[in-house]
Amino acid sequence: MNCERYRALLSCVLDGEGSAEDREALRQHEAVCPDCARLRAEWESLQNGLDSLCAAVPPLPEECHQRWVSRVEEEAEAMNEKKERKPFQRAQWTRALSIAAALVFVVGGTLLTRDSLLQTAKSPQLTASRVSDVPVETESWDDGAAAGGGYVGYALQSSMSRSAPNAAAAPMADMAEAEEAGAQESKIIRTASLTLATQEYDTALESLRALCREMQGYESWSSESTSSATGLRSINLTLRIPSASLDAFLQGTAAAGRVTYRSETMDDVTDSYYDTRARLETQQALMARLQSLVTDAANLSDLLELESKIADTQYQIDRLTSSLATTDKRVNYATVDLTLREESPANQLTSDIPWPKRLQSALQAGVSAFISFLQDASVFLVAALPFLALVTLIVLIIRKKKR
Amino acid sequence: MCDDLTLRRAQRGDPAAFEQLITPLEGGLWRLCCHYLPNRQDAQDALQETMLKIWRALPDFRGQSALTTWAYRLCVNCCLDLLRRQRSRVQTQSADEMREQGFDPVDLSPLPEETVEQSETRAQLRACLDQLNLEQRTALILCAVEGRSYEETAAITGVGLGTVKSRVARARGKLAEMMKHGEQNAVSRVQTSERRAKL
């Protein structure tokens, strides 16, 4: 044992921490090292002095004890007052937070259900318009479909229910008036737009085409597409239906699917039609007069001039005849722009789905949303981990300092 | 069981339970304050501050260490804070000036069974003790003066057992050196200030 080690061990022994072996080791070293033996005597004397320091401490004055006791009582009283006030505030906070949580739950839950599950509260047309369609099949036009003409009557389905019968009756009344006035028949061009939604797409399309044929109509244009997002099909059809059968046809389409949109317009072209016919009659009279003059022509130049006039008049007669024929065709055959959309079972109206099935799908959607939320929350927590660690470290340091 | 119940009541804010719980430790804490702070009034202030700190921190006490150890730790911190704040004042003012400002030193007159020589040794020892750095002083006060075990001292000061042993041994060596050689001046200064105080 060296002297350094001796001092450390002696200090321990003087503080009552040394063992019997330590004391023996000290004695052995003292026997060979007189300096350390003297050091022991000094340190033992020092220890006696240190012991006397402890004994010399005066007793605690009674007023000092009373002072801290009364301070503690004051603080306890203040703390109790604070506690009494706190529960009231806490109760208020709890109530407000409960109401807020309930509102968030109800509003959030409703929105979640609406957005992720049913999708039926929204307009079906709006839903359909979201689908990005990709045309995949052919389209074809008939030769006499495009023709101008200002719309004079327009009504959405909501007003159609009131106005349609009147509208159907109106041409009749006009015709009667015309017959009375001068045998003028009303010329009305009818155009209808219709959108149907169905889960039985193929059956519905077939039944619509069959109905068209039954009404002696024909299909003038079609365009079918499939949604790349949902895989659902839709077809746009332009059908020409005899005007007399239009109402029956529109009623028959309801059997093919759910009508989500319907409108009908009526263009009264009576005046322009009879104007055209009058111009035609004038041109025909002019033609008869010109032909009679040809026979009386005196020289070649007169003959050539008459022939030129006859050609112009014939052109006018042909143009007016064609215009009348086109108008007749459009009057006799109404145009129906029909859109048929295939819909998934989830797009059914809420009222169409049985209640247990709605509950089941709601539960499935809820569980799915919950799992999705947990996943998002876990991702968020992982992202926030460094910040949380930093905050925890700061809190721990502050708490340690307080202690 | 009774102590646990008292502790829980004190933690819930019962001042009577707190008094019952802490009064047994009061003597030891008071001695500790006196060892650190030569002025009796300062020692009383330190004790009061210690008690209030214990009271305020008690609800957070989780029993990870003994209550005594925990209370001693708070007391040592209080004393050291007070000492650091007052050190400059003590160093720059004379004993007379301090006395004029209410300095009331701990009585260093001989104890009934003590000789004058012993009393002077104690005064010298006290003066030398104040010359030690705070870490060695704390270790020596807790182990050699208050008789706390090394393990307990390590828990109070928040350092390792080996560090405590080393600090105590070095403090003891330094103190012995100071007592033996060059501290006659310090002793005479203390005795002079004492005599002046008595006059």
Side-chain angles (χ1 to χ4, degrees):
Chain A
M1 180 189 288
N2 58 22
C3 296
E4 188 69 24
R5 170 78 185 133
Y6 173 85
R7 286 179 185 191
L9 207 54
L10 178 62
S11 180
C12 287
V13 169
L14 289 175
D15 290 327
E17 298 272 343
S19 62
E21 287 83 20
D22 292 338
R23 282 192 286 276
E24 183 55 33
L26 289 177
R27 267 196 294 276
Q28 285 175 4
H29 182 75
E30 284 159 13
V32 294
C33 181
D35 287 344
C36 284
R38 273 198 300 278
L39 183 79
R40 179 171 193 149
E42 283 172 15
W43 280 24
E44 279 177 347
S45 165
L46 185 70
Q47 186 57 46
N48 290 335
L50 291 171
D51 292 341
S52 74
L53 277 183
C54 212
V57 170
L60 177 70
E62 182 57 29
E63 68 268 17
C64 182
H65 173 84
Q66 286 305 327
R67 202 149 52 119
W68 73 253
V69 169
S70 59
R71 282 290 303 275
V72 165
E73 282 172 349
E74 279 170 21
E75 288 211 357
E77 204 173 320
M79 210 160 69
N80 283 337
E81 281 176 15
K82 209 173 169 185
K83 268 186 187 172
E84 279 169 15
R85 280 201 306 272
K86 250 189 176 174
F88 177 69
Q89 290 171 349
R90 199 174 290 167
Q92 274 189 330
W93 274 109
T94 309
R95 198 177 307 138
L97 283 174
S98 303
I99 291 168
L103 275 174
V104 167
F105 180 75
V106 171
V107 174
T110 307
L111 287 175
L112 179 74
T113 309
R114 185 177 286 180
D115 289 346
S116 64
L117 211 206
L118 296 174
Q119 297 180 351
T120 49
K122 295 171 185 167
S123 156
Q125 212 179 0
L126 194 64
T127 309
S129 70
R130 279 184 179 179
V131 177
S132 58
D133 293 337
V134 180
V136 292
E137 285 192 6
T138 58
E139 58 181 46
S140 58
W141 288 91
D142 72 342
D143 50 359
Y151 289 116
V152 293
Y154 180 83
L156 286 172
Q157 169 58 26
S158 55
S159 57
M160 275 298 293
S161 57
R162 294 194 308 273
S163 62
N166 296 336
M172 301 299 182
D174 289 348
M175 280 166 66
E177 278 175 21
E179 278 170 11
E180 282 173 14
Q184 275 194 357
E185 187 188 355
S186 286
K187 298 295 178 185
I188 307 286
I189 298 171
R190 297 181 71 186
T191 308
S193 288
L194 197 65
T195 302
L196 299 173
T198 180
Q199 291 177 53
E200 307 290 334
Y201 178 80
D202 295 318
T203 314
L205 183 58
E206 188 51 45
S207 70
L208 283 171
R209 282 177 168 151
L211 185 64
C212 177
R213 286 193 295 273
E214 187 186 327
M215 297 292 170
Q216 306 296 322
Y218 62 94
E219 186 179 323
S220 68
W221 179 79
S222 71
S223 170
E224 190 173 24
S225 62
T226 305
S227 165
S228 57
T230 59
L232 298 175
R233 294 166 294 173
S234 71
I235 188 167
N236 296 313
L237 296 167
T238 301
L239 305 174
R240 305 303 302 273
I241 305 294
S243 294
S245 308
L246 180 63
D247 292 328
F249 176 79
L250 292 176
Q251 282 174 4
T253 55
R258 184 162 56 83
V259 179
T260 60
Y261 176 77
R262 178 176 160 177
S263 74
E264 189 176 345
T265 58
M266 281 159 287
D267 188 1
D268 188 349
V269 293
T270 309
D271 290 342
S272 65
Y273 180 84
Y274 284 107
D275 282 350
T276 308
R277 203 162 82 173
R279 282 202 297 276
L280 178 63
E281 284 168 0
T282 306
Q283 292 295 325
Q284 283 171 341
L286 179 62
M287 176 64 88
R289 176 76 180 140
L290 286 171
Q291 281 171 347
S292 68
L293 284 174
V294 167
T295 53
D296 300 334
N299 51 42
L300 187 60
S301 63
D302 290 344
L303 191 62
L304 287 173
E305 193 177 346
L306 282 169
E307 283 296 332
S308 171
K309 285 279 184 190
I310 286 170
D312 290 345
T313 308
Q314 187 59 47
Y315 170 74
Q316 289 296 330
I317 288 169
D318 290 345
R319 190 179 63 80
L320 292 169
T321 307
S322 169
S323 174
L324 285 175
T326 303
T327 306
D328 278 335
K329 192 176 180 183
R330 292 181 66 201
V331 167
N332 293 334
Y333 279 85
T335 305
V336 178
D337 293 320
L338 195 149
T339 303
L340 179 67
R341 294 187 189 282
E342 186 179 20
E343 63 178 1
S344 66
N347 275 7
Q348 276 185 298
L349 277 176
T350 312
S351 54
D352 296 341
I353 307 169
W355 180 67
K357 201 170 179 182
R358 284 174 62 194
L359 278 183
Q360 188 191 349
S361 51
L363 182 65
Q364 283 171 350
V367 169
S368 170
F370 182 65
I371 289 168
S372 172
F373 168 76
L374 286 182
Q375 286 172 346
D376 290 347
S378 64
V379 170
F380 169 73
L381 282 175
V382 168
L385 213 53
F387 301 99
L388 289 175
L390 184 66
V391 170
T392 310
L393 193 68
I394 291 168
V395 169
L396 284 176
I397 289 169
I398 290 170
R399 288 183 73 176
K400 198 175 178 184
K401 268 200 169 181
K402 272 188 180 175
R403 279 180 192 173
Chain B
M1 194 67 188
C2 180
D3 283 342
D4 283 350
L5 189 64
T6 312
L7 174 63
R8 279 203 296 276
R9 279 173 51 208
Q11 283 181 316
R12 282 199 295 268
D14 182 348
F18 180 73
E19 189 181 357
Q20 190 185 340
L21 188 75
I22 295 299
T23 301
L25 308 178
E26 192 182 33
L29 296 174
W30 166 242
R31 281 200 307 276
L32 202 56
C33 294
C34 289
H35 295 322
Y36 275 106
L37 299 153
N39 186 356
R40 188 175 296 186
Q41 187 56 48
D42 288 343
Q44 289 185 10
D45 289 346
L47 181 74
Q48 182 164 330
E49 202 175 321
T50 301
M51 292 306 188
L52 289 174
K53 272 196 173 177
I54 294 173
W55 163 254
R56 288 167 192 157
L58 196 62
D60 295 328
F61 176 67
R62 294 284 170 266
Q64 289 160 339
S65 58
L67 182 67
T68 312
T69 308
W70 181 72
Y72 267 66
R73 189 189 307 151
L74 290 179
C75 185
V76 167
N77 289 339
C78 270
C79 291
L80 292 180
D81 285 347
L82 210 62
L83 208 56
R84 285 191 192 105
R85 285 204 297 269
Q86 293 186 345
R87 182 179 263 180
S88 58
R89 179 167 69 92
V90 172
Q91 283 176 347
T92 55
Q93 288 179 331
S94 68
D96 288 342
E97 283 170 341
M98 289 192 294
R99 194 164 157 267
E100 279 168 15
Q101 290 176 12
F103 180 70
D104 180 17
V106 174
D107 191 6
L108 294 174
S109 58
L111 295 170
E113 68 281 8
E114 230 177 16
T115 63
V116 174
E117 191 185 347
Q118 282 173 327
S119 169
E120 284 177 358
T121 308
R122 184 160 53 81
Q124 183 190 358
L125 194 57
R126 179 63 203 247
C128 292
L129 194 61
D130 289 347
Q131 304 290 316
L132 292 174
N133 71 43
L134 291 177
E135 287 164 349
Q136 291 179 355
R137 192 166 155 190
T138 299
L140 196 69
I141 286 173
L142 288 171
C143 296
V145 181
E146 278 299 309
R148 297 280 150 196
S149 69
Y150 284 172
E151 210 169 316
E152 205 178 347
T153 303
I156 291 168
T157 54
V159 296
L161 199 61
T163 309
V164 171
K165 284 181 184 175
S166 151
R167 281 179 184 174
V168 172
R170 283 181 188 173
R172 205 171 242 134
K174 208 182 269 186
L175 200 60
E177 282 294 310
M178 283 194 284
M179 289 291 286
K180 193 174 167 187
H181 299 296
E183 295 305 314
Q184 285 303 322
N185 293 336
V187 174
S188 61
R189 272 203 306 275
V190 171
Q191 284 172 340
T192 309
S193 66
E194 259 187 356
R195 281 191 208 104
R196 281 182 185 169
K198 280 176 187 172
L199 287 171

